[in-house]
Each structure stands twice: as C-alpha cells, then as structure tokens.
Amino acid sequence: VQLVESGGGLVQPGGSLRLSCAASGFTYRRYCMGWFRQAPEKEREGVAAIYTYGGSPYYDDSVKDRFTISRDKAKNTVYLQMDSLKPEDTAMYYCAADIVGGMWSSPGNFNYWGQGTQVTVS
C-alpha cells in the first residue's frame, strides 16, 4: 500500500490550499481514508475522513465549514480543500488509510500512512 501526498506549501491567513493523496495497492474495497495533522510538540490529530462506501464525511470541529474532504474514485485519490486558513492550521499533514471499525479520528486505527506534506499559514 502506498499513499503519496502533495499540495502543501506556504499561504497567508485567509488563503486556500488543496492537498491530494493518491492511494495504490489497497486490496480492500471498503475502507476509510483520512487526513491527520501534527504540529510541533503536539499529538497527531484527525482532521477529516471519508469512507469509500459512501456516507457523509467526518470533520474535526476546528476545521468544519472551512475544510472539505472529497474522493475521486476513478483516480483513487482523496483531496482536502482547505479554505480560510488560519495560523493554527500550520502543521505537517498526513494521509492515512485502513479498514477502520473504531473512531476515524484516532491515528491508532490506521496502519497505512503517507510521508506527509507541510502546510504553513503565515
């Protein structure tokens, strides 16, 4: 399983970025793909998640109404559109995937991770 993120960068407060995560090698048809972030000296936290079998996506309260997670089934790629960015959104952002029976926001429920992409809002 390989997850490759892209799209991070430096943006001013109020700006936008779109992260992409291309997944390959996943043999399961029904699984969860999530975005997590980790700021220096802080724990990794769930930002948003989407399940391949449908249903509404999930968001952390801190990003609700600003971030949008979506999936292109044909490309097996998940996107995170981030609008109205704030300095507190600055972190390394990671894509994760797995069959998740528990909380989507718990990093421990995911075995497959991308390498991360840095987002800096300043």
Side-chain angles (χ1 to χ4, degrees):
V1 176
Q2 188 174 24
L3 302 173
V4 180
E5 302 109 329
S6 61
L10 173 64
V11 64
Q12 292 183 343
S16 298
L17 282 174
R18 188 176 83 153
L19 307 183
S20 301
C21 173
S24 61
F26 223 81
T27 58
Y28 304 109
R29 293 181 62 186
R30 296 163 64 91
Y31 56 94
C32 178
M33 292 192 74
W35 285 98
F36 290 77
R37 66 186 180 187
Q38 188 166 18
E41 301 181 0
K42 290 190 175 181
E43 292 186 354
R44 191 168 297 188
E45 62 177 6
V47 175
I50 190 166
Y51 285 81
T52 59
Y53 50 83
S56 299
Y58 296 87
Y59 297 95
D60 184 75
D61 286 344
S62 65
V63 306
K64 209 170 286 185
D65 299 326
R66 298 189 299 122
F67 291 10
T68 304
I69 188 171
S70 61
R71 177 175 172 253
D72 185 325
K73 183 179 179 181
K75 295 181 180 179
N76 211 17
T77 298
V78 170
Y79 303 95
L80 185 68
Q81 177 67 41
M82 305 185 294
D83 298 318
S84 302
L85 281 161
K86 304 176 181 179
E88 51 263 44
D89 295 318
T90 295
M92 184 71 80
Y93 282 70
Y94 298 91
C95 175
D98 213 331
I99 299 172
V100 177
M103 284 296 295
W104 69 266
S105 57
S106 175
N109 287 332
F110 292 82
N111 286 305
Y112 304 103
W113 293 85
Q115 80 286 357
T117 184
Q118 178 68 39
V119 171
T120 302
V121 185
S122 177

